[in-house]
């Protein structure tokens, strides 16, 4: 029983980061109408930036957030302005191919610059453990979980309580009407993509103290994010949070009680079962609800 509880705690804490990554993917799709297959590579970029800040100048991963956040926002602006905006009016297939291309470029660029070596941070908190009764809780995972939920809550507040968030939601619901009303849609697309990149980069920084980074790490995160979004329900923030925590728990349990090599097999079996039984996801409201993007 102790092993089961220990495993569940570790999985749930990891699931918080999965939720943060998935919410970013939801935001991108809901507002900019792009299924971003390079989203995981943005997480990888945040991890590499955090790692090198620590390796070269000894910057603590959590302090590095002060640098990672604005840098990733800038990366998001460049991604939107240079890559996505020119094809904004193209077909969905063309947009998918473009983001797949960006994903491959970033993977190979990381491979060229830093080879395939796994790199990890050994900061002051990396090995810290909080003992609660018989359960040992990893402090970096606990911080990652808390930080991820705080960011999701902040995003929820932004989207529902601020003028910027309401404009983003109006664009998601009816872009044409927003344009007719004089809303500078392209400018808000830039803000949405920048915000998405920030969420991914911060998730990467929170992962770095207990997870190693390598050039193909983004592929894993992209797959996880898509599974979470589909299971939780496209466009549903609560669904993304619950789906992320659920997936983290299932992944960790599968690795402990079945086999580490079969973790992704179990996740995709769960994905297939949910799609067959409830295509709109656990919290989805059916066709059309995904257009809201951030319920």
């Amino acid at each position: 029983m102790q092993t089961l509880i220990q495993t569940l705690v570790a999985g749930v804490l990891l699931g918080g980061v999965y939720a943060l990554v998935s919410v970013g993917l939801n935001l991108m799709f809901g507002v900019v109408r792009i299924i971003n297959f390079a989203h995981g590579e943005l997480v990888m970029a945040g991890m590499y930036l955090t790692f090198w800040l620590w390796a070269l100048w000894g910057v603590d991963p959590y302090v590095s957030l002060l640098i990672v956040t604005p840098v990733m926002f800038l990366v998001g602006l460049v991604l939107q302005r240079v890559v996505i905006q020119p094809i904004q009016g193209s077909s969905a297939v063309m947009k998918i191919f473009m983001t797949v291309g960006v994903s491959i470029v970033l993977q190979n660029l990381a491979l060229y610059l830093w080879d395939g070596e796994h790199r990890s941070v050994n900061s002051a908190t990396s090995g810290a453990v909080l003992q609660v009764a018989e359960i040992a809780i990893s402090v970096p995972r606990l911080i990652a979980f808390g930080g991820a939920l705080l960011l999701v809550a902040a995003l929820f507040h932004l989207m529902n309580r601020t003028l910027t968030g309401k404009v983003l939601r109006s664009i998601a619901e009816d872009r044409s009407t927003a344009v007719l009303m004089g809303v500078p849609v392209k400018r808000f697309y830039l803000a949405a993509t920048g915000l998405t990149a920030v969420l991914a980069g911060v998730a990467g920084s929170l992962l770095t103290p207990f997870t190693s980074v390598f050039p193909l790490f983004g592929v894993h995160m992209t797959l996880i994010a898509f599974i979470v979004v589909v299971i939780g329900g496209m466009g549903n923030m609560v669904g993304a949070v619950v789906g992320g925590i659920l997936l983290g728990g299932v992944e960790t349990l599968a690795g402990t009680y079945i086999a580490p090599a079969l973790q992704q097999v179990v996740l995709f079996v769960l994905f297939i079962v949910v799609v067959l039984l409830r295509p709109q996801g656990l919290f989805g409201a059916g066709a059309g609800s995904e257009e809201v993007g951030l319920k």
Side-chain angles (χ1 to χ4, degrees):
M1 180 56 76
Q2 182 184 344
T3 304
L4 174 62
I5 297 175
Q6 181 78 59
T7 305
L8 273 176
V9 169
V12 166
L13 295 182
L14 179 62
V17 180
Y18 289 170
L20 179 60
V21 176
S22 304
V23 165
L25 189 67
N26 248 341
L27 175 67
M28 189 74 175
F29 177 74
V31 177
V32 190
R33 314 300 294 166
I34 288 276
I35 301 176
N36 186 12
F37 280 85
H39 192 65
E41 276 63 40
L42 296 178
V43 178
M44 176 199 70
M47 293 183 75
Y48 268 120
L49 183 54
T50 303
F51 170 80
W52 285 114
L53 285 170
W54 172 80
L56 297 178
W57 295 291
V59 180
D60 185 89
Y62 303 119
V63 177
S64 73
L65 286 170
L66 298 173
I67 300 172
V68 170
T69 300
V71 169
M72 291 305 298
F73 187 76
L74 184 61
V75 169
L77 295 185
V78 172
L79 179 65
Q80 174 65 29
R81 182 64 187 86
V82 176
V83 178
I84 297 176
Q85 190 168 302
I87 61 162
Q88 196 72 55
S90 303
S91 66
V93 174
M94 182 61 73
K95 294 173 185 173
I96 289 174
F97 284 157
M98 180 62 83
T99 60
V100 170
V102 173
S103 167
I104 294 173
V105 166
L106 292 177
Q107 287 170 27
N108 283 277
L109 185 61
L111 192 61
Y112 172 76
L113 291 174
W114 304 303
D115 60 52
E117 183 182 348
H118 288 228
R119 300 172 191 274
S120 58
V121 168
N122 186 22
S123 67
T125 56
S126 292
V129 173
L130 180 64
Q131 197 72 33
V132 179
E134 300 292 326
I135 307 301
I137 301 175
S138 164
V139 171
R141 285 178 184 252
L142 188 61
I143 294 174
F145 180 79
L149 291 193
L150 278 176
L151 266 181
V152 171
L155 180 63
F156 190 82
H157 176 80
L158 171 74
M159 297 303 294
N160 290 281
R161 303 293 182 186
T162 68
L163 179 60
T164 299
K166 290 175 181 176
V167 173
L168 288 173
R169 287 169 62 88
S170 71
I171 294 172
E173 291 182 14
D174 193 336
R175 178 182 180 276
S176 299
T177 302
V179 171
L180 290 174
M181 294 181 69
V183 174
V185 172
K186 290 182 179 178
R187 190 181 304 169
F188 280 93
Y189 279 171
L190 284 169
T193 307
L195 191 54
T196 297
V198 167
L199 294 176
V202 170
S205 292
L206 293 174
L207 281 169
T208 307
F210 61 94
T211 305
S212 59
V213 59
F214 52 96
L216 294 181
F217 184 82
V219 177
H220 172 69
M221 290 309 299
T222 299
L223 289 175
I224 290 291
F226 274 109
I227 295 174
V228 169
V229 168
V230 172
I231 288 178
M234 185 70 81
N236 193 300
M237 282 183 65
V238 175
V241 173
V242 175
I245 292 174
L246 173 67
L247 215 65
V250 170
E251 183 185 44
T252 310
L253 285 173
T256 302
Y257 290 100
I258 301 177
L262 295 179
Q263 282 179 315
Q264 291 205 354
V265 173
V266 174
L267 295 184
F268 275 97
V269 168
L270 176 64
F271 168 80
I272 292 169
V273 169
V274 171
V275 170
L276 288 176
L277 298 180
R278 191 172 168 79
Q280 69 271 37
L282 298 179
F283 292 85
S289 63
E290 69 278 2
E291 292 181 2
V292 176
L294 291 163
K295 284 186 172 178

